[in-house]
Amino acid sequence: MSTPLPPGQRESADFHRFGLPQFAQRFPKETSRCALDVTGSVTRQLHLTEALQGLPRIEQVCDFHCVTTWSYRALRWEGVRFIDFYTQVIQPQAAPQASATLVALRGQDGARTGMLLEDLLAPDVLLADRLNGQPISVDHGAPLRLIAPAHYGYKWVKHLSRIEFREPAAGYRVSGLSFMDHPRARVAHEERGRVIPGWLLRFLYRPLIRGTVSRFAKASESRNASWPAQR
Ligand SMILES: Nc1nc2c(c(=O)[nH]1)N[C@H]1C(S)=C(S)[C@@H](COP(=O)(O)O)O[C@H]1N2
Ligand SMILES: [Mo]
């Protein structure tokens, strides 16, 4: 028997390509190397061309929970623990200010969100480059994606290209409307968004799933038709 899903979630038979409508047609430019910039309140900025190089690799199976209420079970990700990247690369090479406890995350497609550094240092948060035994596809975040199992899918930034250390008071610019981005977005606490309670957002978001799935699938099909070699 599998464990119950978090509050308000329903199991989906498919792992959809998904997100805010403005990202359906945007795809990463660089998919061959895991390049990553570390910027913001740091002593030295980093422009890494292979971010995971030399770090201990792990494999982790976890469920995915979209804020719009669909969940997909048992994805097998491979990559590096964020905490290992932090202690072995970021701390020694970039030396962030101790006061910069907020981390803004950005994808190559321009998607943005933020997480508390404290949440990123949980042992199940990964920088992943492989999914189910293969390099992550463009649909699901190539070449590098953040995996944060305790948090809604919108914190799992695909095509991750920049992590920026910030003072919490400075906040960060998010992709959607600000009420849609909870600073923590923990699934166990149903922190779907700000201001509007999570149980209410369930009902507002559910009707949007079908249209979003089809919009994202169509955009991906037409891209794959013109770039067959690079999925
Ligand atoms: N770069 C980027 N990351 C992103 C998104 C996006 O549009 N662009 N969408 C987010 C949202 S809202 C969800 S639900 C998940 C969807 O992941 P999937 O397409 O692999 O299912 O990715 C998240 N990360
Ligand atoms: Mo989402």
Side-chain angles (χ1 to χ4, degrees):
M1 268 284 290
S2 53
T3 49
L5 287 171
Q9 296 298 114
R10 295 172 178 176
E11 185 164 353
S12 163
D14 300 304
F15 185 34
H16 309 295
R17 175 173 184 257
F18 206 86
L20 288 167
Q22 63 265 37
F23 296 106
Q25 313 269 3
R26 296 195 205 161
F27 296 93
K29 287 202 184 73
E30 169 66 77
T31 55
S32 53
R33 299 185 309 173
C34 294
L36 189 62
D37 292 340
V38 179
T39 66
S41 295
V42 293
T43 309
R44 198 167 73 89
Q45 295 203 357
L46 306 180
H47 303 283
L48 307 166
T49 50
E50 284 291 358
L52 308 189
Q53 213 165 42
L55 294 167
R57 294 188 61 87
I58 65 150
E59 200 178 287
Q60 175 177 295
V61 176
C62 59
D63 299 342
F64 173 87
H65 308 293
C66 175
V67 72
T68 63
T69 72
W70 65 272
S71 291
Y72 189 78
R73 298 269 199 180
L75 293 159
R76 183 163 49 89
W77 301 96
E78 289 169 59
V80 162
R81 284 200 172 95
F82 186 90
I83 190 171
D84 288 339
F85 180 67
Y86 183 74
T87 56
Q88 296 183 40
V89 178
I90 296 181
Q91 277 189 321
Q93 294 182 35
Q97 304 296 325
S99 54
T101 56
L102 181 68
V103 181
L105 306 161
R106 188 181 183 281
Q108 288 184 48
D109 58 354
R112 312 155 174 273
T113 187
M115 285 186 67
L116 304 188
L117 176 59
E118 180 193 339
D119 287 342
L120 284 171
L121 297 179
D124 60 355
V125 174
L126 309 185
L127 294 171
D129 58 357
R130 294 176 67 83
L131 168 59
N132 294 336
Q134 302 199 333
I136 300 180
S137 64
V138 167
D139 281 355
H140 293 300
L144 185 66
R145 178 176 200 169
L146 189 88
I147 306 305
H151 305 263
Y152 286 114
Y154 63 84
K155 299 295 189 189
W156 299 34
V157 175
K158 301 194 277 189
H159 329 300
L160 184 67
S161 60
R162 188 174 76 201
I163 65 181
E164 183 189 356
F165 285 80
R166 301 182 65 107
E167 315 293 320
Y172 54 90
R173 193 147 72 79
V174 304
S175 292
L177 303 169
S178 62
F179 84 87
M180 300 168 83
D181 189 290
H182 189 284
R184 302 194 76 182
R186 291 170 298 177
V187 294
H189 299 269
E190 209 172 348
E191 292 167 339
R192 293 184 195 273
R194 298 175 205 253
V195 189
I196 303 174
W199 63 266
L200 182 55
L201 283 174
R202 288 182 202 173
F203 300 100
L204 298 178
Y205 283 158
R206 255 180 211 144
L208 306 175
I209 297 174
R210 270 174 70 107
T212 306
V213 167
S214 101
R215 180 196 285 258
F216 272 75
K218 276 188 196 129
S220 170
E221 276 159 31
S222 53
R223 179 191 181 274
N224 289 343
S226 37
W227 295 87
Q230 199 190 66
R231 292 181 172 232

mmCIF file with all atom_site columns, all heavy atoms in Angstrom, residues 18-19 64 66-68 153-154, ligand 2:
data_model
loop_
_atom_site.group_PDB
_atom_site.id
_atom_site.type_symbol
_atom_site.label_atom_id
_atom_site.label_alt_id
_atom_site.label_comp_id
_atom_site.label_asym_id
_atom_site.label_entity_id
_atom_site.label_seq_id
_atom_site.pdbx_PDB_ins_code
_atom_site.Cartn_x
_atom_site.Cartn_y
_atom_site.Cartn_z
_atom_site.occupancy
_atom_site.B_iso_or_equiv
_atom_site.pdbx_formal_charge
_atom_site.auth_seq_id
_atom_site.auth_comp_id
_atom_site.auth_asym_id
_atom_site.auth_atom_id
_atom_site.pdbx_PDB_model_num
ATOM   1  N  N   . PHE A 1 18  ? 3.858  20.990 -17.579 1.00 0.00 ? 18  PHE A N   1
ATOM   2  C  CA  . PHE A 1 18  ? 2.882  21.882 -16.949 1.00 0.00 ? 18  PHE A CA  1
ATOM   3  C  C   . PHE A 1 18  ? 3.527  23.185 -16.500 1.00 0.00 ? 18  PHE A C   1
ATOM   4  O  O   . PHE A 1 18  ? 4.751  23.274 -16.361 1.00 0.00 ? 18  PHE A O   1
ATOM   5  C  CB  . PHE A 1 18  ? 2.290  21.166 -15.726 1.00 0.00 ? 18  PHE A CB  1
ATOM   6  C  CG  . PHE A 1 18  ? 0.908  21.620 -15.351 1.00 0.00 ? 18  PHE A CG  1
ATOM   7  C  CD1 . PHE A 1 18  ? -0.195 21.055 -15.958 1.00 0.00 ? 18  PHE A CD1 1
ATOM   8  C  CD2 . PHE A 1 18  ? 0.714  22.606 -14.390 1.00 0.00 ? 18  PHE A CD2 1
ATOM   9  C  CE1 . PHE A 1 18  ? -1.480 21.468 -15.611 1.00 0.00 ? 18  PHE A CE1 1
ATOM   10 C  CE2 . PHE A 1 18  ? -0.557 23.025 -14.036 1.00 0.00 ? 18  PHE A CE2 1
ATOM   11 C  CZ  . PHE A 1 18  ? -1.662 22.447 -14.648 1.00 0.00 ? 18  PHE A CZ  1
ATOM   12 N  N   . GLY A 1 19  ? 2.701  24.193 -16.268 1.00 0.00 ? 19  GLY A N   1
ATOM   13 C  CA  . GLY A 1 19  ? 3.202  25.451 -15.713 1.00 0.00 ? 19  GLY A CA  1
ATOM   14 C  C   . GLY A 1 19  ? 2.259  26.589 -16.015 1.00 0.00 ? 19  GLY A C   1
ATOM   15 O  O   . GLY A 1 19  ? 1.123  26.374 -16.447 1.00 0.00 ? 19  GLY A O   1
ATOM   16 N  N   . PHE A 1 64  ? 5.480  13.890 -7.041  1.00 0.00 ? 64  PHE A N   1
ATOM   17 C  CA  . PHE A 1 64  ? 5.396  15.277 -7.499  1.00 0.00 ? 64  PHE A CA  1
ATOM   18 C  C   . PHE A 1 64  ? 3.981  15.798 -7.243  1.00 0.00 ? 64  PHE A C   1
ATOM   19 O  O   . PHE A 1 64  ? 3.006  15.132 -7.601  1.00 0.00 ? 64  PHE A O   1
ATOM   20 C  CB  . PHE A 1 64  ? 5.712  15.323 -9.003  1.00 0.00 ? 64  PHE A CB  1
ATOM   21 C  CG  . PHE A 1 64  ? 5.488  16.661 -9.626  1.00 0.00 ? 64  PHE A CG  1
ATOM   22 C  CD1 . PHE A 1 64  ? 6.490  17.618 -9.620  1.00 0.00 ? 64  PHE A CD1 1
ATOM   23 C  CD2 . PHE A 1 64  ? 4.272  16.982 -10.214 1.00 0.00 ? 64  PHE A CD2 1
ATOM   24 C  CE1 . PHE A 1 64  ? 6.291  18.870 -10.189 1.00 0.00 ? 64  PHE A CE1 1
ATOM   25 C  CE2 . PHE A 1 64  ? 4.060  18.230 -10.781 1.00 0.00 ? 64  PHE A CE2 1
ATOM   26 C  CZ  . PHE A 1 64  ? 5.072  19.171 -10.769 1.00 0.00 ? 64  PHE A CZ  1
ATOM   27 N  N   . CYS A 1 66  ? 1.563  19.011 -7.984  1.00 0.00 ? 66  CYS A N   1
ATOM   28 C  CA  . CYS A 1 66  ? 1.290  20.315 -8.602  1.00 0.00 ? 66  CYS A CA  1
ATOM   29 C  C   . CYS A 1 66  ? 0.286  21.061 -7.730  1.00 0.00 ? 66  CYS A C   1
ATOM   30 O  O   . CYS A 1 66  ? -0.662 20.473 -7.215  1.00 0.00 ? 66  CYS A O   1
ATOM   31 C  CB  . CYS A 1 66  ? 0.753  20.145 -10.014 1.00 0.00 ? 66  CYS A CB  1
ATOM   32 S  SG  . CYS A 1 66  ? 0.257  21.710 -10.755 1.00 0.00 ? 66  CYS A SG  1
ATOM   33 N  N   . VAL A 1 67  ? 0.462  22.363 -7.628  1.00 0.00 ? 67  VAL A N   1
ATOM   34 C  CA  . VAL A 1 67  ? -0.408 23.195 -6.804  1.00 0.00 ? 67  VAL A CA  1
ATOM   35 C  C   . VAL A 1 67  ? -1.867 23.147 -7.279  1.00 0.00 ? 67  VAL A C   1
ATOM   36 O  O   . VAL A 1 67  ? -2.792 23.360 -6.502  1.00 0.00 ? 67  VAL A O   1
ATOM   37 C  CB  . VAL A 1 67  ? 0.133  24.647 -6.777  1.00 0.00 ? 67  VAL A CB  1
ATOM   38 C  CG1 . VAL A 1 67  ? -0.089 25.348 -8.122  1.00 0.00 ? 67  VAL A CG1 1
ATOM   39 C  CG2 . VAL A 1 67  ? -0.480 25.449 -5.648  1.00 0.00 ? 67  VAL A CG2 1
ATOM   40 N  N   . THR A 1 68  ? -2.064 22.814 -8.574  1.00 0.00 ? 68  THR A N   1
ATOM   41 C  CA  . THR A 1 68  ? -3.435 22.752 -9.107  1.00 0.00 ? 68  THR A CA  1
ATOM   42 C  C   . THR A 1 68  ? -4.149 21.455 -8.736  1.00 0.00 ? 68  THR A C   1
ATOM   43 O  O   . THR A 1 68  ? -5.236 21.192 -9.236  1.00 0.00 ? 68  THR A O   1
ATOM   44 C  CB  . THR A 1 68  ? -3.456 22.920 -10.639 1.00 0.00 ? 68  THR A CB  1
ATOM   45 O  OG1 . THR A 1 68  ? -2.748 21.828 -11.229 1.00 0.00 ? 68  THR A OG1 1
ATOM   46 C  CG2 . THR A 1 68  ? -2.831 24.228 -11.067 1.00 0.00 ? 68  THR A CG2 1
ATOM   47 N  N   . GLY A 1 153 ? 5.047  21.820 -6.892  1.00 0.00 ? 153 GLY A N   1
ATOM   48 C  CA  . GLY A 1 153 ? 5.813  21.770 -8.138  1.00 0.00 ? 153 GLY A CA  1
ATOM   49 C  C   . GLY A 1 153 ? 6.359  23.103 -8.613  1.00 0.00 ? 153 GLY A C   1
ATOM   50 O  O   . GLY A 1 153 ? 7.391  23.137 -9.277  1.00 0.00 ? 153 GLY A O   1
ATOM   51 N  N   . TYR A 1 154 ? 5.699  24.212 -8.279  1.00 0.00 ? 154 TYR A N   1
ATOM   52 C  CA  . TYR A 1 154 ? 6.206  25.489 -8.801  1.00 0.00 ? 154 TYR A CA  1
ATOM   53 C  C   . TYR A 1 154 ? 7.532  25.908 -8.181  1.00 0.00 ? 154 TYR A C   1
ATOM   54 O  O   . TYR A 1 154 ? 8.178  26.830 -8.673  1.00 0.00 ? 154 TYR A O   1
ATOM   55 C  CB  . TYR A 1 154 ? 5.161  26.606 -8.742  1.00 0.00 ? 154 TYR A CB  1
ATOM   56 C  CG  . TYR A 1 154 ? 4.638  27.048 -7.391  1.00 0.00 ? 154 TYR A CG  1
ATOM   57 C  CD1 . TYR A 1 154 ? 5.334  27.980 -6.616  1.00 0.00 ? 154 TYR A CD1 1
ATOM   58 C  CD2 . TYR A 1 154 ? 3.407  26.589 -6.921  1.00 0.00 ? 154 TYR A CD2 1
ATOM   59 C  CE1 . TYR A 1 154 ? 4.824  28.436 -5.408  1.00 0.00 ? 154 TYR A CE1 1
ATOM   60 C  CE2 . TYR A 1 154 ? 2.888  27.034 -5.712  1.00 0.00 ? 154 TYR A CE2 1
ATOM   61 C  CZ  . TYR A 1 154 ? 3.611  27.954 -4.953  1.00 0.00 ? 154 TYR A CZ  1
ATOM   62 O  OH  . TYR A 1 154 ? 3.105  28.406 -3.754  1.00 0.00 ? 154 TYR A OH  1
HETATM 63 MO MO  . MO  B 2 .   ? 2.210  24.184 -11.073 1.00 0.00 ? 2   MO  B MO  1
#
